[in-house]
Amino acid sequence: GDLLPHVNLVFIGPCGGGKSTIAGRLIADSGAIDRERFALIAQEASERGHESRSYAWILDKLECERERGGTMYVALWRLASRRCRFTVIDAPGHEEFSKDIVTAMSQADIAVLVVTAEQSSLDPVKECEAQVLEHTLLAYTLGLRQLVVCVNKMDTDGVEYSQEHFERRGMAVRQALRLAGLKNHDGFF
């Protein structure tokens, strides 16, 4: 247990990309939350008409976050694999919570940059790309030199696992990485 290396893993990126859902799914799939507790969270989410947010609600525990539909404060969760102990750090995505984003990133060893493949979520494409650039710059400034890039929502209507959507998002993220001072090989897709 305690002899295993420890890694702080932060999930960053624009709001609406699915950071909390991916982090919650990792927690649930790794067995870091017991089934009964998750079943209660899923039931509450369903009863309130937010069934798709059940994994996100593992970390978005506050009523204000659940009502708003997004992370407002940094959330932490511990889990372990056979080879490593992790602290999962869920950062807010909205620029309104920049202080909390910086707090989360400053504690991290590894960042997972979550971006959406959905075109509709990219409605103001420039705003989303600006948020990706801001998060990438913050990560670089805070000493995070390697980012795992997760292109999320590949299964949605209109995307349907399209290689074109994946590559388009990848190009935009690689550009943000370069502008932030990172090299192409610093981002793992």
Side-chain angles (χ1 to χ4, degrees):
D2 288 344
L3 300 177
L4 294 174
H6 182 264
V7 174
N8 289 325
L9 180 66
V10 66
F11 287 80
I12 63 172
C15 51
K19 296 176 298 299
S20 297
T21 301
I22 289 175
R25 184 72 194 241
L26 175 66
I27 290 164
D29 288 353
S30 70
I33 184 172
D34 63 71
R35 289 182 182 177
E36 294 80 22
R37 186 168 170 196
F38 179 66
L40 289 172
I41 292 169
Q43 180 182 347
E44 181 184 353
S46 180
E47 287 171 356
R48 294 171 67 178
H50 297 286
E51 192 170 340
S52 65
R53 295 205 35 88
S54 57
Y55 287 106
W57 280 16
I58 292 172
L59 292 155
D60 291 343
K61 297 175 189 167
L62 301 176
E63 187 62 33
C64 58
E65 292 177 309
R66 291 180 175 186
E67 284 178 8
R68 182 182 175 122
T71 305
M72 297 169 66
Y73 302 98
V74 175
L76 306 172
W77 197 283
R78 297 192 190 287
L79 61 92
S81 71
R82 287 190 304 266
R83 294 189 278 172
C84 193
R85 292 176 301 125
F86 294 92
T87 299
V88 173
I89 307 169
D90 185 29
H94 197 280
E95 62 188 20
E96 185 179 334
F97 305 108
S98 292
K99 185 180 78 154
D100 291 286
I101 297 167
V102 170
T103 299
M105 283 190 211
S106 70
Q107 300 172 46
D109 301 306
I110 300 171
V112 178
L113 175 63
V114 179
V115 296
T116 179
E118 284 183 304
Q119 198 64 38
S120 60
S121 291
L122 306 174
D123 202 346
V125 175
K126 296 297 180 198
E127 183 180 324
C128 182
E129 289 179 4
Q131 283 185 323
V132 169
L133 177 58
E134 179 185 3
H135 286 228
T136 306
L137 280 166
L138 283 171
Y140 183 80
T141 302
L142 293 166
L144 292 166
R145 296 294 183 262
Q146 294 183 335
L147 284 87
V148 175
V149 180
C150 175
V151 181
N152 194 22
K153 303 185 181 185
M154 289 292 295
D155 59 335
T156 57
D157 293 340
V159 176
E160 296 153 0
Y161 300 100
S162 158
Q163 186 70 28
E164 181 185 336
H165 278 83
F166 179 81
E167 288 174 8
R168 184 172 47 242
R169 293 307 292 144
M171 283 177 36
V173 170
R174 283 186 186 89
Q175 182 180 2
L177 292 174
R178 280 193 302 277
L179 289 170
L182 293 157
K183 308 288 186 241
N184 273 344
H185 63 270
D186 293 331
F188 301 91
F189 288 79

